[in-house]
Structures are given as structure tokens and as C-alpha cells.
Amino acid sequence: MTSKPLVLPPATPSELLSYIISSHRYPTTLIIGCPKDEFLGAVVEDIVGQLTLEDDQRHASGSDTLPPSHPFLKAHLYQIAVSRHIRIIFAPTVTHLRSYLSVFSAKDSPVPLPPSHVDVSKSPLLLVYGLLALHRDASEWSAQGIGNSTAVLVDCATRNGFQPVIVEPRGSGGHGDLDHLGGEMIPILNGTSRKEDGSWLGRSVNIRQVLCRWFEFEDREWQIK
């Protein structure tokens, strides 16, 4: 049975990857809404930023003898094994995302089946990281454009028996939590212009209203394991 579609809180790249690994069920698929080089650069920046913060905290507490640490720098065998069975796709534009979802099939995955794989009732994830960010600053930054993409995502997930999930990069559009993300106003139709004061010409709605047609918003605390 397909699990309910979810919108989870904005996450950093390392928080996202940790969640995918800990929640993995073959054939979970992760779609990144940006070019590969851009995402890898964001992962490195995220880890370096966390190590720098940790280093500053050690200096402040007088614990300089402890080496810097990050879970991704000490990958456990379980993490390595699981990561080999996660399908990762990069979709740098809205067109790429919709085209991929329209032909997506779990049966076509080049990712191998894990050894001793046992089918369980929990649905694998079809998670899009940065779906809203793909639409931002483009002609389809609207209820119409986002609605079309989420409908394709839900249809694809349902057809293949996956759970559709949306996670936005933390800080994208200034969003740090679900309430802030869901409260952003967008125009109803594609191609709508802004007024001089920054508001939209014509009718507008908040993002939560658009996504709640298909998705439930679920708050959670991210942990890097």
C-alpha cells in the first residue's frame, strides 16, 4: 500500500542524506532538483560549515584536543551498504523533473537489489529535494506550475507503489521551517508579474494551500546519524 504523500521540513544536504539512509527501503529513489555539481558542492559546504562550527565550540570550551568529527567522515559499513542501493537522479529544471516522472518505473532501475532483500509493507520513498526551488524565479512559480508538478509526482508514486515526499533545501527562499515555507504567497497563474511593492498582480495563495491538495505537512527534528 502506498503511504500518504508528505512535505517534510527544510533540510540541509547532510540531513537529507542521513534521513534517506536511515529510512531506506529498496528501491527508494531520490530526485535532486539541481545539477549534480551544484548539489555535491552544497554537501561539501554543509559539512565544512558544521565542522567549522564544531571547531569554534571546542575552542570556546577549551577542548582543542578532540579531533573534528562528522558522521559522513566516519561512514559505518551499514551506511556504505545502504547507499549502494539508493537510486539518485538529478533534475536541473522543471521540464527534466516532469519528463523523468512521466516515464519513471521501479523496474527500470539500474541499482541492484540488496542481498537477502525481503519485501515489507512499508513503501519505498520517491523523494524530491528542491521541488519548489526548481520553480522559483521561473515562469512556473505559481499555484498552476507547482500544482502540475506535484500532480505528476503523486501519480508517478502511486503508479509505482512509492511514497511521495517533498523536502526543500534549508534556506532556499529564506525558509527555515515548515510554517515559514507554507506561508509564502505565490500567484495563481504562470507568468504573473509583481507590483512595485513586491506583491503579485492578481490573486495569490500560500504554498500550503497548493500542496495540501495532495500532501500532508509533517514536522520533525532532523538528526545526522
Side-chain angles (χ1 to χ4, degrees):
M1 175 181 282
T2 304
S3 301
K4 61 184 179 182
L6 294 177
V7 178
L8 299 180
T12 65
S14 57
E15 288 169 339
L16 170 77
L17 294 175
S18 180
Y19 170 70
I20 286 288
I21 291 173
S22 62
S23 303
H24 172 265
R25 178 213 178 290
Y26 182 85
T28 281
T29 298
L30 171 61
I31 304 177
I32 307 292
C34 68
K36 181 177 181 179
D37 290 346
E38 182 179 325
F39 178 71
L40 294 179
V43 173
V44 172
E45 182 179 353
D46 181 22
I47 294 175
V48 170
Q50 291 183 41
L51 290 175
T52 300
L53 177 61
E54 183 181 316
D55 190 50
D56 291 342
Q57 292 173 339
R58 285 200 314 274
H59 280 302
S61 63
S63 304
D64 296 348
T65 56
L66 296 176
S69 174
H70 189 283
F72 286 5
L73 301 180
K74 304 182 298 181
H76 301 292
L77 290 177
Y78 173 76
Q79 290 178 319
I80 296 172
V82 167
S83 64
R84 292 175 178 172
H85 303 285
I86 296 174
R87 189 178 189 179
I88 300 179
I89 305 296
F90 294 92
T93 67
V94 173
T95 300
H96 283 89
L97 174 65
R98 291 180 186 165
S99 297
Y100 178 76
L101 291 173
S102 67
V103 298
F104 174 85
S105 172
K107 297 178 182 178
D108 297 335
S109 176
V111 179
L113 190 73
S116 305
H117 173 69
V118 178
D119 195 16
V120 294
S121 58
K122 182 180 177 182
S123 299
L125 303 180
L126 180 57
L127 190 153
V128 181
Y129 184 59
L131 183 143
L132 298 179
L134 274 180
H135 293 74
R136 187 179 297 280
D137 299 326
S139 62
E140 297 207 51
W141 181 241
S142 66
Q144 179 185 10
I146 293 170
N148 288 340
S149 295
T150 52
V152 174
L153 171 59
V154 171
D155 177 70
C156 172
T158 302
R159 189 174 66 249
N160 288 277
F162 283 65
Q163 179 184 17
V165 178
I166 294 174
V167 178
E168 290 302 298
R170 184 179 296 168
S172 176
H175 301 310
D177 56 50
L178 272 183
D179 288 338
H180 198 275
L181 172 69
E184 183 172 4
M185 302 300 293
I186 56 175
I188 295 290
L189 300 176
N190 291 342
T192 302
S193 301
R194 289 185 183 272
K195 301 177 184 178
E196 291 184 2
D197 63 2
S199 62
W200 295 104
L201 287 169
R203 288 185 58 205
S204 59
V205 294
N206 64 50
I207 287 176
R208 182 182 287 271
Q209 289 175 279
V210 178
L211 294 182
C212 277
R213 179 182 179 186
W214 305 105
F215 292 80
E216 293 184 22
F217 280 57
E218 182 176 285
D219 208 356
R220 61 172 291 133
E221 292 291 330
W222 296 111
Q223 294 181 346
I224 301 177
K225 301 177 181 179

